[in-house]
């Protein structure tokens, strides 16, 4: 089936919508790829290593994120798909997201959610009891959520199956005049940043929609598409292995009279980083410098979290012992795994 042609920009469009929340500034938490319950991989157990429960850590990351958003000065939440993980779609994951939605509702936030390819493979979305402030958009046609009290219109469509190759973005509606228009989309775009194609589309298609922001999901790394398009992937909410390095959490979208802006919010209490000394002669110097450059994250209880370092390159057991001897108590130094897992 040939997808509909993208809507051309409206030549008579009014200026971008201004925020209508008290104080004239709106904050929206954009999250994606929660993969609730998907455990951590690539951990080592050795004397002196920090204790990290690979099964519990994903839930600790979700708790930290929900607390930050529910207690912070946020007005709305966008969830760009893959709430659940097809391999861990159980009652615990269901209860965790049900609790998150309830806490967002109790905090006075409005929430819009779409399904990703993992959600399409589980029955869990249908088992949720959505609070009145939450809208989970359908999969068969684009839908629009009107948050009139914020001056925001959210356009989105869920993924219908695991191997969804439709260019659903091409059918998204025209921007609503006088509102701040957000496109909510779970997509691999051109496919270069993800191992699995999902709802592929072109950056030009998103540009032609003329929205103010595209809240994307599916790619597990924080990324901005090239060009003038104001869009982004927030990355997943917790790193699941050595391939998913760096801080994890969500994207903070700020909408104000001076125009929209984004910044990253790190909330996951465990993060992965790589450790690759240049050679034996500078190994200690390189390791010390790398350790000093990455402080441990903060856990949900306010205490230090942990950094999982993956030691790469030659050096063997001697280098591993050196790195572990130099590590802070919050650092776990691990051998490089034979396989790493990417986005999808």
């Amino acid at each position: 089936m040939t997808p509909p042609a993208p809507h051309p920009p409206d030549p008579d469009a009014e200026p971008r919508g201004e925020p209508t929340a008290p104080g004239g500034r709106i904050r929206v938490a954009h999250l994606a790829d929660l993969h609730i319950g998907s455990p951590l991989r690539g951990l080592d157990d050795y004397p002196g290593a920090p204790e990290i429960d690979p099964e519990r850590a994903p839930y600790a990351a979700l708790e930290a994120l929900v607390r930050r958003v529910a207690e912070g000065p946020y007005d709305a939440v966008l969830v760009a798909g893959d709430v659940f993980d097809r391999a861990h779609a159980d009652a615990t994951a269901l209860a965790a997201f049900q609790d998150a939605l309830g806490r967002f509702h109790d905090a006075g936030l409005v929430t819009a959610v779409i399904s990703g390819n993992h959600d399409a493979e589980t029955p869990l979305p249908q088992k949720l009891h959505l609070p009145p402030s939450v809208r989970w958009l359908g999969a068969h046609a684009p839908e629009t959520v009107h948050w009139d009290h914020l001056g925001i219109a959210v356009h989105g469509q869920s993924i219908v199956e695991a191997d969804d190759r439709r260019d659903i973005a091409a059918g998204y509606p025209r921007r609503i005049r006088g509102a701040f228009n957000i496109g909510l989309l779970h997509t691999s775009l051109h496919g270069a940043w993800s191992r699995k194609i999902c709802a592929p589309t072109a950056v030009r298609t998103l540009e032609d929609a003329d929205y103010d922001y595209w809240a994307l999901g599916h790619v597990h790394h924080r990324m901005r598409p090239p060009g003038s398009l104001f869009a982004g992937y927030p990355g997943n909410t917790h790193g699941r292995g050595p391939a998913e390095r760096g801080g994890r959490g969500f994207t903070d979208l700020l909408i104000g009279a001076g125009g929209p802006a984004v910044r990253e919010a790190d909330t996951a209490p465990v993060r992965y980083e790589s450790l690759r000394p240049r050679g034996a002669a500078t190994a200690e110097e390189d390791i010390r410098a790398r350790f000093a450059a990455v402080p441990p994250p903060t856990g949900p209880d306010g205490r230090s979290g942990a950094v999982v370092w993956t030691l790469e390159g030659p050096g063997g057991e001697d280098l591993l012992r050196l790195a572990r001897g130099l590590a802070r108590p919050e650092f776990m130094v691990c051998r490089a795994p034979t396989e790493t897992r990417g986005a999808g």
Side-chain angles (χ1 to χ4, degrees):
M1 177 174 144
T2 303
H7 294 297
D10 184 353
D12 299 319
E14 294 177 353
R16 302 302 189 195
E18 294 291 343
T20 57
R25 187 169 185 172
I26 296 170
R27 291 183 69 178
V28 180
H30 167 203
L31 42 149
D33 299 286
L34 287 70
H35 290 275
I36 298 175
S38 182
L40 276 58
R41 298 186 177 182
L43 306 180
D44 280 352
D45 184 14
Y46 61 89
E51 293 185 8
I52 302 174
D53 185 335
E55 306 291 336
R56 178 57 196 155
Y59 291 98
L62 179 62
E63 165 62 26
L65 183 151
V66 171
R67 181 181 297 182
R68 172 81 69 88
V69 174
E71 295 180 359
Y74 289 91
D75 301 285
V77 180
L78 300 168
V79 186
D82 279 358
V83 171
F84 301 110
D85 189 90
R86 60 174 173 261
H88 303 89
D90 55 24
T92 304
L94 178 67
F97 195 59
Q98 183 73 65
D99 176 72
L101 294 179
R103 289 165 68 181
F104 293 155
H105 175 77
D106 291 344
L109 312 183
V110 287
T111 302
V113 189
I114 56 172
S115 297
N117 52 297
H118 277 255
D119 301 315
E121 294 187 72
T122 82
L124 295 188
Q126 289 72 40
K127 295 182 178 182
L128 288 164
H129 300 285
L130 300 181
S133 60
V134 178
R135 176 82 172 272
W136 196 304
L137 283 67
H140 298 292
E143 299 178 4
T144 299
V145 180
H146 299 270
W147 292 334
D148 293 337
H149 67 296
L150 299 177
I152 293 176
V154 181
H155 314 281
Q157 183 174 352
S158 286
I159 298 300
V160 71
E161 59 185 357
D163 191 30
D164 197 335
R165 299 299 180 99
R166 302 172 298 163
D167 182 0
I168 60 176
Y172 275 36
R174 292 179 182 268
R175 61 174 288 110
I176 293 177
R177 300 174 67 177
F180 187 91
N181 288 253
I182 298 175
L184 189 59
L185 180 66
H186 194 84
T187 178
S188 59
L189 282 181
H190 40 61
W193 300 330
S194 175
R195 66 178 184 177
K196 184 177 180 63
I197 300 299
C198 181
T201 192
V203 171
R204 177 60 187 273
T205 300
L206 306 189
E207 291 173 338
D208 286 346
D210 199 30
Y211 293 169
D212 299 287
Y213 179 68
W214 280 94
L216 306 178
H218 187 66
V219 174
H220 288 185
H221 300 286
R222 291 168 169 169
M223 302 190 71
R224 303 279 176 264
S228 60
L229 182 71
F230 190 44
Y233 291 98
N236 46 350
T237 54
H238 72 279
R240 302 175 301 164
E244 297 176 349
R245 298 188 293 270
R248 300 281 155 168
F250 63 96
T251 292
D252 191 353
L253 170 63
L254 298 96
I255 307 169
V262 293
R263 60 188 180 191
E264 308 306 338
D266 292 343
T267 52
V270 178
R271 66 185 287 170
Y272 287 83
E273 294 288 347
S274 62
L275 185 62
R276 180 185 285 271
R278 292 169 293 174
T282 61
E284 181 172 346
E285 176 187 353
D286 294 344
I287 292 169
R288 289 185 183 277
R290 190 79 176 97
F291 284 170
V294 182
T298 302
D301 55 1
R303 295 183 296 180
S304 292
V307 181
V308 180
W309 295 91
T310 302
L311 187 60
E312 301 173 347
E317 292 298 317
D318 289 342
L319 184 60
L320 184 64
R321 282 193 293 271
L322 173 64
R324 287 177 173 174
L326 296 172
R328 297 174 52 159
E330 304 91 348
F331 290 174
M332 175 184 288
V333 182
C334 306
R335 301 170 180 82
T338 55
E339 294 184 10
T340 55
R341 178 170 55 173

